[in-house]
Amino acid sequence: MGLGERMAKYAIGLDYGTNSVRALLVDVADGAELATSVFEYPSGDRGVILDPKDPNLARQNPQDYVDGFYATVREVLQGVDPQDVIGLGVDTTGSSPIPVDRSGQPLAFDERFKDEPAAMCWLWKDHTSFAEAREITEKAVQLGMPYLAKCGGTYSSEWFWSKILHCARTQPDVFEAAYSWVEFADWVPGYLTGNLEPSKVARSVCAAGHKAMYADDWGGLPSKEFLGALDPRLADLRDRLFDKAVPSDQPAGTLTKEVAERAGLREGIPVAVGAFDAHFGAVASGAKPGTLVKIIGTSTCDCMVHPLDLPLADVPGLCGIVKGSVLPGYYGLEAGQSAVGDIFNWFATFVGRSHEELTAGAMKLRPGESGLLALDWNNGNRTILVDPLLTGLLVGQTLHTSPAEVYRTLIEATAFGAYKIVKRLEEYGVSVDEVVNCGGIAEKSPLVMQIYADVMNRPMKVSRSAQTCALGSAIFGAVVGGAYSNAEEAQAKMTGVKDVVYTPDPAAAAVYERLFALYTELHDAFGTAEWSGSLGHVMKELIQIRHQARV
Amino acid sequence: MGLGERMAKYAIGLDYGTNSVRALLVDVADGAELATSVFEYPSGDRGVILDPKDPNLARQNPQDYVDGFYATVREVLQGVDPQDVIGLGVDTTGSSPIPVDRSGQPLAFDERFKDEPAAMCWLWKDHTSFAEAREITEKAVQLGMPYLAKCGGTYSSEWFWSKILHCARTQPDVFEAAYSWVEFADWVPGYLTGNLEPSKVARSVCAAGHKAMYADDWGGLPSKEFLGALDPRLADLRDRLFDKAVPSDQPAGTLTKEVAERAGLREGIPVAVGAFDAHFGAVASGAKPGTLVKIIGTSTCDCMVHPLDLPLADVPGLCGIVKGSVLPGYYGLEAGQSAVGDIFNWFATFVGRSHEELTAGAMKLRPGESGLLALDWNNGNRTILVDPLLTGLLVGQTLHTSPAEVYRTLIEATAFGAYKIVKRLEEYGVSVDEVVNCGGIAEKSPLVMQIYADVMNRPMKVSRSAQTCALGSAIFGAVVGGAYSNAEEAQAKMTGVKDVVYTPDPAAAAVYERLFALYTELHDAFGTAEWSGSLGHVMKELIQIRHQARV
C-alpha cells in the first residue's frame, strides 16, 4: 500500500423488505455505496403467502431470509477483500413475528408445518388479527394499564401480541407447538450469530418498544397479569420471551464460522442488533431533532427523534414513542400510512396502465382541476386513526373522469394523509422543521414530491442514498465494527441529502389548503365514530374549486 | 288480393335519440315491427357538439334531424307500398329547445350562426344553465308561484326556461336574433307538416308540461309577470311562444308535398304531435295505472300514469306531473336518473375493458362481496334530489378491488337510485304494482335486470319491443292515422312484455336491503344540505357485510 492510500473498511447492511432482501456494501469512511445485490423472495406471490379466501392474510417463508442472505452477501463481496468487512447490520419489516421451537428454528422449517401459513412469519401487513387488536386495546383501557400511552392509545392488528393471540385462538396446534416467538428483525441476527435460542437471541428495542408494548417504565413486556387477562396462554408465553431489549449500537453477537464460510465472510465480525427498516432508513437520512424522515414505499413510515431530556407528550395516534428505537440516546417517534405506493400500484393495475403514462397525464393537471377527492385508506389507516377497518373513498367522479385524474387524486390523498401526521406532531409540541424523504417513490417521482411540498406547504428534501434502509444497517454495522463510537458520528460522515429540493408553489398550496379542509371533513366523517355533521356542501365546493381552477 | 288476406296498414315511428335517429315501420294491426333504420348524426362527437372548456355544454345540429328523417324513412319503405302508410309519429329527446327565426328555421341554419353552439339545439343533457335553474326555483318560491308543484319543487338546468335564460344572459346576440324557441319534439313534426312558424307549430303537452311549467291550471305558460321578474326579455318572448299545448293523439298536421316526395311517402298523411322519447316508450311498454315503465338507456326515464279522477299528491322530486303527457286522459308522471348506461360506458372506457368482460366478472360476484358501495351521481341526480351539482362516489376500495367489482357496484348504485324513485312514489300514494323495463340495457343485460329485481325485491318485466320509443311513435301514428280511436285501444293490440321475468332472489334481496340502508345514509349525507349525522359506521358495516357474504 502506497503513501496517501488509506486502508478501506467496509460494512454490509442487509435490508429485508416485503418482496426482497438487499445487501449493500458501504465504505465506512464516507458512506460510499460500493456494491449492492437484491434477492427476490421465491415463495408465494412475490414473497408473500396469501389466502384467496382472506385478503387480510399475509405470511412469509423464513427460508427465503436465509437464502437471500447468502445470495446477496456473496455477490456484494466480489472484488473486495472480505477481511476488510468490519461489521454487519440488519433491518427487516415488522412487526413480523415468527413462531419458533426451543432451538429458535421457525416452525415452518418443521416438516409437520411446512405448508401451514400460521407457522410462517406473520408479515407486518397481515391484518387477520383485528379483533384481537381491539380486545387488547379494550383490556388495557379497562384495566387501566399504561401500555398504550406510548403507541398512540390503540393497539394495532399489525403488531406482535395481536398476531400471537390470534394464532392461539384460531390455530392452537401451531401455538402449542411454538416454544416462543421471535421478531423477524431479531431472528436474522440470531441466525447469523448462532444466538437463536429464545433465551439468547438479542431483542431489538425498536421492535419490542414499538410493537410489543415493551418499556423500561413498566419493567419490560406487559405484566403476566395483563397478558393472563387476555388469555392464560399468553401469560405462560411471557416466561419464554425476554426481559431486556437493546438498541442497534449493540452487537447481537459475532458471525459464526459456518455462516461466515458459506457467505465468504470473516468469522467473528460483529452483527448489530436488528431493527425495523424504516428506523434505519431514518438514521441514514440524517434523522435528528426537528427532522421528520418519511420513508415512502408501498406504505410509509414517518420517523423523528426527540431528546430524552426535553418534555414529550403522549401523541394520540402515533404508532410509537420508544427510547432508543431510532437513534440511541433519543426517543424514537414512529408514525405511518398503511399504503402509499401500494395504492398507486393497485390503481395502475386496476386501469391497466403504466406509472409512466399515468404520471405524464397527472403532471398536466392543476391542483383541484379534476374535482376529485379521495381518502387514502385502501389498506386502513395507521396514523392518526390507527384503524385497519377503513377503506378507500373517491368522490367527485363525472362521466369525464380520466385515469390520470384519479391517479393524481390518489397521490394527493396520500399527501393529505401525510399532512395529518405532521399536524398531529405539531399539535402535541413536536416541531417539524425539516422533512427529508427517502425510498423508491421519493427517488423516482418528482410529481409525488412536488404534490407533497404543495400540500404540506413546506420544502421536501430527498435523502442522498437511494437505499437508505440498507445504508442505515451498514451504519450500525460500522458502529458495532468499531469505526465510530456512536451512531451520530457515523451519520455525520455517512449520510446527506440531494441538491434538489422541492419547494411549494404558493398558488398550488392555496388550492390544496381548501382541498385539505374537505379531506379533513371526509376524514373525520368516515374515520371517527363520534363525528356528527353535514357533508352536504362537499361536492358543491369541489365543483366550485374545479370551476375556479379552470377559469 | 285473395280471400282471408287482410289489407296491411302501416305506421312509421321516428325516434330521435342523443346519438342517432331511428325509423320503425310497424303493422298497425298487431305492432309487428317490419323494418327499421338507424341514422347516426354526423355532427360533433357522435352527434353532440361539445366544448372542451366546459363539460356542461351539449348541443346538436338540427340539420342532422332533417337528414336523418329522409335517410331512415326511405330505407324502411323498401319492399312496402308507401300508399299503405297511414300515419307518422315522432319522439325526441328533451327538453331540447331550439332558437328559431320568424319562419321557424333554426338559427343554426343561418350562415351568421352556423358555428355558434348557442344557435343550435340545446340538448337535454346540457347543464350549462344550473345557475338559472336555481334562480327560477328561488323566484318561484319567493313570489309564491304554483309552477313548481307539479315538477318536484325544483326547476332543472336541463329544462326549457333555464336554457333560454342562460342564452339571454350569456349570448345576447343569439337570444336577440331568435324570434322564438321551439322544442326539438315540436320542431320535427312542424318541419314535416309545413307548420313551422312559431304561431302555427303544434306544441306537445308532454314537452310543455314537463319542462316549460305549462299547465291549464294557471292558463298555460308562466305569467308575464313571473317571467319578467326573471328577465324582461323572457316576458317579451312569452308573446312569441304559445298558448296551448296538446297530447299526441292529435295531429300536428299532414305531410307536405315536398317532404312526402323527398321521403317517398304519400302527401297528406297525418303526423302526430311530438313527445319525448321516454313517454312514448312508456306507452309502447303498456303504461297503465299501477305500472312503472323504466326506459333504461344512457340515462333513465321512469314513467307512470294516474287516473285524472283519483287523488294525486304533489310528489317532491318528481320531474313532472302533467295531464295527458303519457296517455291522453291520464296524468303522466315522470321521474328519472341522470345517468345509467352513461356510467357503465364511462367506467368501461376508464378501465379499458369491454362490457362483456366486465359483465362476465360481475356475474361471478355475490351481492355485498366486494365491500363496495357507490352513489350513481356521475351526471348529477334528477330524481329525487333534482340536483345537477352532485357527483359520483365510491367507497370501500381496498388494494384488491377489481374492475369487475366496481362495475357491479355501479350497476347496484343505479339500482339503488331506481329504488329511491319507487319508494318516493309509494310514499306519496302512487302504488307501483308492476315494473316494466325497456331500452337497450333492459334488452341486453340479464345482470342489470337481475340486480334490479334483487335490489327492489320485486319482479322485473321487459317490454316485448326492442325499440319501444319508436314503437310508441308508431302507435300515435296509427292513432292519428285512424286505425284506432285512442291510444289505449292501440296499446291493447300493439304492445306486450317478454316471457322472461326476472324474479328476486330472497338471499340477495336481504343483502341489498342492508346495502340500500347504507346507500340511503350516503345519499342523505351527500345529497341533502340539511342532513347532519354520523357516517362513521358505514365502512365497518360494509366490511362486516363482505365478511358475512364470504363465510
Side-chain angles (χ1 to χ4, degrees):
Chain A
M1 184 189 280
L3 280 173
E5 209 174 327
R6 70 184 173 79
M7 170 76 84
K9 296 286 181 198
Y10 308 117
I12 292 176
L14 285 148
D15 168 39
Y16 284 88
T18 300
N19 308 114
S20 62
V21 54
R22 171 188 300 276
L24 182 67
L25 182 80
V26 172
D27 187 325
V28 301
D30 57 4
E33 299 172 9
L34 304 172
T36 189
S37 168
V38 173
F39 175 84
E40 307 279 345
Y41 303 144
S43 303
D45 177 11
R46 299 175 63 229
V48 183
I49 316 295
L50 302 171
D51 179 348
K53 292 197 206 111
D54 183 356
N56 286 319
L57 188 143
R59 308 284 159 83
Q60 287 192 319
N61 181 354
Q63 188 61 46
D64 291 351
Y65 309 154
V66 172
D67 296 343
F69 173 78
Y70 293 111
T72 57
V73 169
R74 277 195 296 250
E75 191 173 343
V76 298
L77 286 175
Q78 287 176 16
V80 296
D81 184 347
Q83 297 298 319
D84 295 332
V85 176
I86 62 166
L88 263 62
V90 176
D91 71 74
T92 72
T93 69
S95 175
S96 303
I98 307 170
V100 298
D101 65 18
R102 270 174 192 273
S103 70
Q105 291 299 309
L107 288 190
F109 290 1
D110 186 321
E111 192 60 28
R112 275 191 303 160
F113 291 117
K114 76 182 174 49
D115 295 320
E116 171 52 62
M120 299 179 178
C121 178
W122 291 52
L123 190 61
W124 66 275
K125 68 176 172 179
D126 185 289
H127 284 152
T128 51
S129 314
F130 56 86
E132 289 78 10
R134 197 182 309 125
E135 190 179 337
I136 291 168
T137 300
E138 287 168 2
K139 191 68 76 184
V141 171
Q142 182 193 324
L143 300 181
M145 293 299 182
Y147 307 134
L148 302 178
K150 304 295 179 193
C151 63
T154 308
Y155 202 71
S156 164
S157 65
E158 292 186 2
W159 297 350
F160 192 73
W161 295 109
S162 301
K163 286 169 169 166
I164 295 173
L165 185 53
H166 187 70
C167 181
R169 295 269 168 78
T170 60
Q171 301 261 214
D173 55 328
V174 173
F175 182 84
E176 292 303 326
Y179 176 78
S180 188
W181 290 71
V182 178
E183 272 284 349
F184 182 6
D186 297 333
W187 191 85
V188 174
Y191 168 80
L192 299 179
T193 60
N195 295 325
L196 256 189
E197 275 179 48
S199 63
K200 289 190 190 162
V201 65
R203 307 285 186 153
S204 156
V205 75
C206 174
H210 283 291
K211 311 298 180 188
M213 298 189 280
Y214 170 97
D216 292 341
D217 298 359
W218 47 80
L221 291 173
S223 71
K224 282 189 85 150
E225 291 67 30
F226 174 71
L227 295 173
L230 287 165
D231 193 305
R233 293 171 293 177
L234 283 194
D236 293 345
L237 174 65
R238 189 186 191 280
D239 295 333
R240 307 190 303 274
L241 289 168
F242 56 95
D243 296 320
K244 189 70 191 164
V246 289
S248 296
D249 58 353
Q250 305 298 311
T254 58
L255 213 57
T256 65
K257 181 158 185 278
E258 187 195 343
V259 170
E261 278 178 2
R262 204 170 146 196
L265 284 165
R266 180 159 53 91
E267 183 187 347
I269 61 173
V271 178
V273 166
F276 291 147
D277 40 16
H279 297 72
F280 276 3
V283 172
S285 299
K288 61 181 182 294
T291 297
L292 171 67
V293 179
K294 295 182 63 63
I295 300 93
I296 311 178
T298 54
S299 63
T300 75
C301 191
D302 295 27
C303 288
M304 292 194 77
V305 300
H306 192 82
L308 290 180
D309 55 357
L310 288 185
L312 177 60
D314 298 336
V315 186
L318 235 64
C319 315
I321 300 173
V322 174
K323 274 185 207 172
S325 70
V326 176
L327 275 182
Y330 292 89
Y331 288 111
L333 280 62
E334 185 198 342
Q337 293 172 267
S338 305
V340 173
D342 267 350
I343 294 181
F344 311 153
N345 288 333
W346 161 72
F347 184 72
T349 303
F350 184 85
V351 292
R353 300 188 188 221
S354 70
H355 287 289
E356 290 70 24
E357 183 186 354
L358 291 166
T359 297
M363 295 275 279
K364 293 186 191 132
L365 299 168
R366 280 161 293 175
E369 189 180 352
S370 66
L372 296 168
L373 183 62
L375 291 174
D376 50 322
W377 300 346
N378 291 45
N379 196 29
N381 178 294
R382 196 179 296 156
T383 307
I384 58 176
L385 299 171
V386 201
D387 189 346
L389 296 182
L390 295 173
T391 57
L393 183 144
L394 178 67
V395 64
Q397 301 93 303
T398 68
L399 297 172
H400 305 282
T401 297
S402 71
E405 288 176 326
V406 175
Y407 189 72
R408 186 180 174 105
T409 301
L410 293 172
I411 294 170
E412 291 166 349
T414 67
F416 295 139
Y419 196 25
K420 279 267 164 231
I421 294 171
V422 169
K423 293 230 166 209
R424 176 56 59 97
L425 286 165
E426 297 203 320
E427 275 163 24
Y428 284 82
V430 181
S431 175
V432 177
D433 307 321
E434 176 190 56
V435 182
V436 179
N437 299 273
C438 65
I441 290 173
E443 281 285 311
K444 290 177 206 156
S445 179
L447 173 67
V448 172
M449 284 295 95
Q450 187 60 51
I451 289 174
Y452 277 40
D454 292 340
V455 164
M456 293 192 253
N457 201 14
R458 60 184 76 206
M460 291 292 131
K461 297 179 183 174
V462 179
S463 183
R464 191 176 64 198
S465 171
Q467 35 224 0
T468 45
C469 300
L471 176 60
S473 287
I475 285 171
F476 284 101
V479 171
V480 296
Y484 298 100
S485 61
N486 63 46
E488 287 159 282
E489 270 186 24
Q491 273 185 309
K493 297 284 187 184
M494 297 173 73
T495 73
V497 296
K498 289 187 201 288
D499 292 338
V500 60
V501 173
Y502 299 88
T503 53
D505 169 55
V511 174
Y512 283 134
E513 189 179 352
R514 296 176 65 189
L515 285 169
F516 182 68
L518 295 176
Y519 174 91
T520 297
E521 285 192 66
L522 290 179
H523 176 282
D524 293 351
F526 282 97
T528 60
E530 302 76 19
W531 185 89
S532 77
S534 167
L535 293 173
H537 64 288
V538 174
M539 290 174 187
K540 303 276 193 298
E541 262 192 63
L542 283 170
I543 289 168
Q544 200 181 36
I545 290 168
R546 182 186 66 188
H547 183 69
Q548 291 171 351
R550 288 180 175 182
V551 170
Chain B
M1 183 190 278
L3 281 173
E5 211 174 324
R6 67 184 174 78
M7 171 76 85
K9 295 287 181 198
Y10 309 117
I12 292 176
L14 284 148
D15 168 39
Y16 284 88
T18 300
N19 308 114
S20 61
V21 52
R22 172 188 298 276
L24 182 67
L25 181 80
V26 173
D27 187 326
V28 300
D30 57 5
E33 299 171 9
L34 304 172
T36 189
S37 170
V38 173
F39 175 84
E40 307 280 345
Y41 303 143
S43 303
D45 178 9
R46 299 173 66 227
V48 183
I49 316 296
L50 301 172
D51 180 348
K53 292 198 208 109
D54 184 356
N56 286 320
L57 188 142
R59 307 285 159 83
Q60 287 192 320
N61 181 355
Q63 188 62 45
D64 292 351
Y65 308 154
V66 172
D67 297 342
F69 173 78
Y70 294 111
T72 57
V73 168
R74 277 195 295 253
E75 191 174 344
V76 298
L77 287 174
Q78 286 175 15
V80 297
D81 184 347
Q83 298 297 318
D84 295 332
V85 176
I86 61 168
L88 262 63
V90 176
D91 70 74
T92 72
T93 68
S95 174
S96 302
I98 306 171
V100 298
D101 64 18
R102 271 174 191 272
S103 70
Q105 291 299 309
L107 289 190
F109 290 0
D110 185 322
E111 192 59 28
R112 274 192 302 161
F113 292 119
K114 74 181 176 48
D115 295 320
E116 170 52 61
M120 300 180 178
C121 178
W122 292 52
L123 191 61
W124 65 275
K125 67 176 174 179
D126 184 288
H127 284 153
T128 49
S129 314
F130 56 87
E132 290 79 9
R134 197 183 309 125
E135 189 180 339
I136 292 168
T137 299
E138 287 168 2
K139 191 66 77 184
V141 170
Q142 180 194 325
L143 300 181
M145 294 299 183
Y147 307 133
L148 302 178
K150 305 295 179 194
C151 64
T154 308
Y155 202 72
S156 165
S157 65
E158 293 186 1
W159 297 349
F160 192 74
W161 295 109
S162 301
K163 285 169 170 167
I164 295 173
L165 184 54
H166 186 71
C167 181
R169 295 267 168 80
T170 59
Q171 301 261 220
D173 56 329
V174 173
F175 182 84
E176 292 302 328
Y179 176 78
S180 188
W181 290 71
V182 178
E183 273 284 349
F184 182 6
D186 297 333
W187 191 85
V188 175
Y191 169 81
L192 299 179
T193 61
N195 296 324
L196 256 190
E197 276 179 45
S199 62
K200 288 189 189 163
V201 65
R203 307 286 186 153
S204 157
V205 75
C206 174
H210 282 291
K211 311 298 180 188
M213 298 189 281
Y214 170 97
D216 293 340
D217 298 0
W218 48 80
L221 291 172
S223 70
K224 281 189 87 150
E225 291 66 31
F226 174 71
L227 295 173
L230 287 164
D231 194 304
R233 293 171 294 177
L234 282 194
D236 293 346
L237 174 65
R238 189 185 190 279
D239 295 332
R240 307 190 303 273
L241 289 168
F242 56 95
D243 297 321
K244 189 70 193 164
V246 290
S248 297
D249 58 352
Q250 305 297 312
T254 58
L255 212 56
T256 64
K257 183 159 183 276
E258 187 197 342
V259 171
E261 278 177 3
R262 201 169 148 198
L265 282 166
R266 181 158 53 90
E267 183 188 347
I269 61 172
V271 179
V273 166
F276 291 148
D277 42 15
H279 296 72
F280 277 3
V283 171
S285 299
K288 61 180 183 295
T291 297
L292 171 68
V293 179
K294 294 182 64 60
I295 300 91
I296 311 178
T298 54
S299 63
T300 75
C301 190
D302 296 25
C303 289
M304 291 194 78
V305 300
H306 191 81
L308 290 180
D309 56 354
L310 289 184
L312 177 60
D314 298 335
V315 186
L318 234 63
C319 317
I321 300 173
V322 174
K323 275 185 205 169
S325 71
V326 176
L327 275 182
Y330 291 89
Y331 288 112
L333 280 63
E334 186 198 341
Q337 292 172 267
S338 305
V340 174
D342 267 350
I343 295 182
F344 311 154
N345 288 334
W346 160 72
F347 184 72
T349 303
F350 185 85
V351 293
R353 299 187 189 224
S354 69
H355 287 290
E356 291 69 25
E357 183 186 353
L358 291 165
T359 297
M363 293 276 280
K364 294 187 191 132
L365 298 168
R366 281 160 294 175
E369 190 180 350
S370 66
L372 296 168
L373 183 62
L375 291 174
D376 51 321
W377 300 345
N378 291 45
N379 195 29
N381 177 294
R382 195 179 298 155
T383 308
I384 55 179
L385 299 170
V386 200
D387 189 346
L389 296 182
L390 295 173
T391 57
L393 183 145
L394 178 67
V395 62
Q397 301 91 304
T398 68
L399 297 172
H400 305 282
T401 297
S402 71
E405 288 176 326
V406 175
Y407 189 72
R408 186 181 174 105
T409 301
L410 293 172
I411 294 171
E412 291 166 349
T414 67
F416 295 139
Y419 196 25
K420 278 269 166 230
I421 294 171
V422 169
K423 293 231 168 208
R424 175 56 58 98
L425 287 165
E426 297 202 321
E427 275 164 25
Y428 284 82
V430 181
S431 176
V432 177
D433 306 321
E434 178 191 55
V435 182
V436 179
N437 299 274
C438 64
I441 289 172
E443 280 285 311
K444 291 179 206 154
S445 179
L447 172 68
V448 172
M449 284 295 95
Q450 187 60 51
I451 288 174
Y452 278 39
D454 292 340
V455 164
M456 293 192 252
N457 201 14
R458 59 183 76 204
M460 290 292 131
K461 298 178 183 174
V462 179
S463 183
R464 192 175 63 198
S465 172
Q467 35 223 359
T468 45
C469 299
L471 176 60
S473 286
I475 285 171
F476 284 100
V479 171
V480 296
Y484 298 101
S485 62
N486 62 47
E488 287 159 283
E489 269 184 25
Q491 273 184 309
K493 296 284 188 184
M494 295 174 74
T495 73
V497 296
K498 289 188 202 288
D499 292 338
V500 60
V501 174
Y502 298 89
T503 54
D505 169 54
V511 174
Y512 283 133
E513 190 179 351
R514 295 176 66 190
L515 285 169
F516 182 68
L518 295 176
Y519 173 90
T520 297
E521 285 191 65
L522 290 180
H523 176 282
D524 293 351
F526 283 96
T528 61
E530 301 77 20
W531 186 89
S532 77
S534 167
L535 292 173
H537 65 287
V538 173
M539 290 174 186
K540 302 276 194 301
E541 262 191 63
L542 283 170
I543 289 168
Q544 201 182 36
I545 290 169
R546 181 186 67 189
H547 183 70
Q548 291 172 350
R550 289 181 173 182
V551 170

